[in-house]
Amino acid sequence: MKGKNKKDTILYAAQETFGRYGYAGTTVKMISERAGVAFGLVSHYFGSKEELFVTAGVALVDDLMEYLTEEISKANSGIEGIQLFMKSYLSYTLQHRNTFPVLLRCSPFSDVQIDMDRTRISIKFQQLLNIIRESVERGIEDGSIRDLSVDDTTTIVYSNIVGTVRTRFLSPYDLPNLYEETTEFVVRSIKSRE
């Protein structure tokens, strides 16, 4: 965390702590101690625990989207875009294994029943789905993806990613090739059968 300002340090500590203990299991005191800052500084920068939770998730999605957009720009076809999206998304989870679980906790795909407004994070996740949608539409148009329902295919691709990440982070199963196999399965399932 060296080189970061206090606000960024708090945000990183929040991502790690919420990711590890969930919303209910995390206190602002835990975050302030992990960040090495005074308790009041957390409230000063982020207001409530709820606001910090959502902000932690939104910040991670923003970073993820920036990374994905850059990686997908290298695609020469729609199917290649899907493949790059999946490979990049899944490798991002491993590169950020200490903070990524916060997205498992605050996403609209989370099974955690938290009585809070998660509209901001839902909008961010819709932007992720839109990136997939663009590749699906491109692939149908360029012939690299079969003529499938764009909405259903977008949702199925992302659902496979979510399930795979949840299996990797939240289950006791050690499946070393899970990410690669999932990517191959999805690509094979939607690819045009030339």
Side-chain angles (χ1 to χ4, degrees):
M1 286 190 262
K2 288 183 179 179
K4 292 185 177 188
N5 64 38
K6 287 186 181 186
K7 186 174 182 180
D8 288 342
T9 300
I10 293 167
L11 191 58
Y12 186 84
Q15 289 169 338
E16 285 185 318
T17 310
F18 283 128
R20 182 172 195 157
Y21 300 105
Y23 182 79
T26 297
T27 65
V28 174
K29 183 177 186 226
M30 289 166 69
I31 294 167
S32 68
E33 286 174 357
R34 181 149 189 92
V37 300
F39 178 86
L41 199 55
V42 177
S43 296
H44 169 74
Y45 282 123
F46 297 100
S48 67
K49 174 181 163 183
E50 179 179 322
E51 179 61 26
L52 179 54
F53 182 62
V54 173
T55 300
V58 166
L60 201 60
V61 173
D62 283 341
D63 188 60
L64 172 60
M65 282 194 312
E66 186 178 320
Y67 175 68
L68 291 171
T69 302
E70 182 180 322
E71 292 300 307
I72 288 181
S73 71
K74 301 170 188 170
N76 294 313
S77 65
I79 195 68
E80 206 176 304
I82 294 296
Q83 188 173 32
L84 284 170
F85 182 95
M86 291 187 71
K87 284 182 175 182
S88 301
Y89 190 108
L90 296 171
S91 84
Y92 183 93
T93 69
L94 298 177
Q95 293 167 23
H96 298 85
R97 73 186 71 217
N98 292 337
T99 55
F100 191 84
V102 73
L103 292 185
L104 300 176
R105 308 280 191 180
C106 71
S107 87
F109 301 95
S110 171
D111 60 348
V112 178
Q113 298 299 315
I114 301 170
D115 187 25
M116 71 170 62
D117 182 7
R118 291 196 278 182
T119 304
R120 273 180 42 220
I121 197 73
S122 295
I123 289 168
K124 288 295 176 184
F125 272 85
Q126 186 58 54
Q127 291 171 348
L128 283 171
L129 288 168
N130 290 342
I131 296 171
I132 297 170
R133 170 186 288 283
E134 289 169 13
S135 287
V136 171
E137 288 172 342
R138 178 182 178 189
I140 291 170
E141 189 176 302
D142 68 24
S144 63
I145 294 177
R146 293 185 292 126
D147 189 15
L148 301 166
S149 162
V150 173
D151 289 338
D152 291 347
T153 304
T154 299
T155 303
I156 289 167
V157 168
Y158 196 65
S159 296
N160 274 275
I161 293 168
V162 169
T164 300
V165 172
R166 291 180 71 79
T167 299
R168 176 72 184 239
F169 279 86
L170 302 178
S171 79
Y173 307 115
D174 182 22
L175 303 167
N177 298 320
L178 180 63
Y179 281 6
E180 294 81 8
E181 292 293 332
T182 301
T183 301
E184 284 182 32
F185 174 80
V186 169
V187 169
R188 192 172 52 243
S189 298
I190 66 174
K191 188 176 183 178
S192 194
R193 306 225 195 282
E194 305 163 50

